[in-house]
Amino acid sequence: ETEATIPMTVADTRAFLDTRPITDYLEPSGDIAAPVGFEILAGTWPNPGAVRRVELEDGHYVIERVLEDRADFFAYQLWVFTNDVGRGVEQIVGEMRFTPVDSGTVFNWQYKVKPRNACTASFVRRQKDGSEDYLGSGIAAWAQAARAAAES
C-alpha cells in the first residue's frame, strides 16, 4: 500500500512530515537499501531546485533534487545511482500527494521509474514489487507514528 489516511489536516500532516521524515521509517526491501544520511549539495531543502546526496546503508548513494513543493504536493527526482539500480534506471520521480478528506488527509506516495533504455525496461518491471514493498512499509510505519501523534 502506498497510501494512508492520517487524522490531521493537510498542513499538520506536512508539518509532521517535515519534523518526522518518512525516510526515517524506510526499511530495506529486496535490492533497495534504506537511507542513513543526507548531505545538502545545493539550495535549501526542501525548496525546488535543492539537491542532496542520500547515503544508503549499503555504502552507495543517490542524488535527489526537489522538483516541486506545494502544500498538497511534493515531487523529487532521484538519479546518479551508484548501486546496481543505476544500470537499469535513468531516474525515479517520487510524488507525495496530500488530499483533504473528512477524516483528515490521504497521503499517497508513488515512484515513477524511467528505465535507461528498452533493454533495461524488463529489469525495471521486475523491481516494481520490491519498490512498492519499500514505499508501503515506510508509509505504514510513518502513518502509525503520525496517528499516534494526532491522538496525543
Side-chain angles (χ1 to χ4, degrees):
E1 186 67 31
T2 59
E3 188 171 282
T5 301
I6 308 301
M8 298 178 186
T9 65
V10 169
D12 288 345
T13 302
R14 287 296 308 261
F16 184 80
L17 185 63
D18 288 344
T19 59
R20 303 278 299 273
I22 200 164
T23 52
D24 291 351
Y25 299 89
L26 294 173
E27 295 292 330
S29 178
D31 295 336
I32 305 172
V36 294
F38 304 92
E39 177 186 355
I40 303 295
L41 302 176
T44 302
W45 198 266
N47 294 341
V51 177
R52 69 183 181 180
R53 175 182 160 130
V54 181
E55 301 287 338
L56 304 174
E57 71 179 355
D58 63 3
H60 290 281
Y61 68 87
V62 301
I63 302 297
E64 180 178 39
R65 173 181 26 229
V66 177
L67 301 175
E68 227 175 306
D69 185 22
R70 299 189 319 253
D72 64 345
F73 183 73
F74 181 76
Y76 59 95
Q77 173 192 30
L78 299 170
W79 85 107
V80 187
F81 303 90
T82 63
N83 55 13
D84 288 343
V85 171
R87 289 190 219 161
V89 174
E90 181 175 318
Q91 70 172 357
I92 296 172
V93 173
E95 296 182 346
M96 296 179 174
R97 297 181 189 283
F98 305 85
T99 306
V101 293
D102 290 342
S103 57
T105 299
V106 173
F107 171 70
N108 180 280
W109 188 19
Q110 296 184 351
Y111 269 6
K112 295 180 179 180
V113 181
K114 181 179 180 186
R116 285 205 176 276
N117 55 50
C119 295
T120 63
S122 64
F123 163 78
V124 169
R125 281 192 296 279
R126 286 195 308 271
Q127 301 299 317
K128 187 174 190 237
D129 288 343
S131 64
E132 287 178 354
D133 290 346
Y134 181 70
L135 299 180
S137 68
I139 286 176
W142 177 82
Q144 183 178 8
R147 290 183 190 115
E151 291 174 6
S152 60

